[in-house]
């Protein structure tokens, strides 16, 4: 975080030994106000706006999902969707039907684009960028769309999409760094053994 603040024009590579460390480090860096990206991109679920729209899609599949309903009802778009009381079962089922009909008849791309337009005025530039990437994913998903909206949600959760607004600091494994160059390289995992734990039979 200090290096990123002190040298905003320099690229920083944070190289770790294990894949599971990458996500933890990105989360910690963002907690300190440093936007970091994973080599090959991050799932779009690193965006609060994308998570909100996935909650809206989840209501279509599971109208009784109280967490998704609370998320949407208390969000900036709850008013526009005429859904502001997450305890209102009738309104939840009505919203579910409207969303499902739109995804089925209008298509994922156009429907998600409409949701993104409702949300844009409340977003930071980075959030708007992630929303635009979600819209692109939704259009690309249309060709493989199934009758299960949950399949679309999983598709979004597993796709890694590069975040151009957070390119200064990139976190990756040492193996992924082959052939790459950075102005500053940080190696936070030097305390462990370099050779892996051999199998017991070895």
């Amino acid at each position: 975080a200090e290096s990123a603040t002190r040298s905003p024009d320099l690229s920083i590579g944070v190289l770790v030994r294990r894949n599971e460390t990458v996500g933890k480090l990105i989360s910690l860096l963002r907690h300190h106000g440093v936007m970091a990206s994973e080599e090959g991109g991050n799932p779009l679920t690193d965006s609060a706006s994308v998570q909100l729209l996935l909650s809206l899609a989840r209501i279509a599949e599971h109208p009784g999902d109280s967490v998704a309903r609370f998320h949407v009802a208390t969000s900036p778009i709850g008013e526009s969707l005429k859904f502001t009381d997450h305890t209102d079962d009738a309104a939840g089922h009505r919203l579910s039907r409207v969303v499902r009909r739109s995804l089925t008849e209008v298509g994922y791309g156009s429907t998600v684009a409409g949701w993104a337009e409702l949300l844009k005025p409340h977003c930071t530039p980075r959030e708007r960028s992630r929303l635009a990437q979600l819209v692109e994913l939704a259009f690309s998903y249309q060709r493989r769309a199934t009758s299960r909206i949950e399949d679309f949600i999983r598709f979004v959760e597993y796709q890694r999409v590069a975040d151009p607004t957070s390119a200064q600091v990139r976190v990756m494994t040492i193996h992924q760094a082959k052939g790459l160059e950075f102005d500053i390289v940080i190696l936070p995992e030097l305390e462990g053994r370099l050779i892996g734990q051999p199998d017991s039979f070895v």
Side-chain angles (χ1 to χ4, degrees):
E2 289 172 3
S3 296
T5 304
R6 194 170 52 242
S7 311
D9 298 327
L10 300 184
S11 62
I12 300 173
V14 182
L15 311 185
V16 298
R17 297 175 59 198
R18 299 182 305 275
N19 281 317
E20 55 266 28
T21 310
V22 174
K24 292 176 187 173
L25 264 182
I26 287 175
S27 176
L28 286 168
L29 285 167
R30 289 187 177 171
H31 179 70
H32 287 281
V34 178
M35 297 310 297
S37 65
E38 182 177 345
E39 180 62 20
N42 304 334
L44 289 178
T45 50
D46 67 358
S47 157
S49 302
V50 170
Q51 287 184 11
L52 172 60
L53 296 190
L54 291 182
S55 285
L56 182 54
R58 200 166 272 117
I59 289 173
E61 186 90 326
H62 305 288
D65 187 325
S66 56
V67 174
R69 279 166 45 166
F70 179 82
H71 195 183
V72 173
T74 58
S75 76
I77 63 171
E79 195 79 45
S80 304
L81 297 169
K82 297 182 176 61
F83 185 70
T84 55
D85 180 5
H86 71 282
T87 63
D88 187 339
D89 286 335
H93 283 83
R94 188 164 50 248
L95 178 61
S96 173
R97 286 192 300 273
V98 168
V99 171
R100 180 176 285 281
R101 187 179 304 118
S102 183
L103 290 172
T104 305
E105 296 176 5
V106 180
Y108 281 83
S110 298
T111 298
V112 173
W115 297 345
E117 285 301 316
L118 291 176
L119 199 49
K120 271 183 188 175
H122 309 280
C123 291
T124 63
R126 179 183 182 273
E127 289 290 320
R128 283 196 290 272
S129 169
R130 291 312 242 175
L131 280 177
Q133 291 172 319
L134 176 64
V135 170
E136 283 181 35
L137 266 190
F139 275 110
S140 71
Y141 176 78
Q142 188 61 52
R143 292 187 298 275
R144 67 183 87 178
T146 68
S147 59
R148 296 292 309 277
I149 297 168
E150 197 68 43
D151 291 339
F152 169 68
I153 295 169
R154 266 197 300 272
F155 173 75
V156 173
E157 288 173 340
Y158 286 106
Q159 290 296 311
R160 294 186 178 277
V161 183
D163 182 356
T165 63
S166 62
Q168 183 200 6
V169 179
R170 290 160 67 189
V171 184
M172 66 196 74
T173 63
I174 294 168
H175 293 296
Q176 290 170 324
K178 286 180 184 174
L180 300 178
E181 291 183 4
F182 300 97
D183 299 312
I184 299 171
V185 175
I186 297 174
L187 303 166
E189 289 189 303
L190 294 180
E191 76 284 353
R193 295 176 59 195
L194 287 177
I195 56 170
Q197 190 69 31
D199 292 330
S200 55
F201 70 87
V202 174

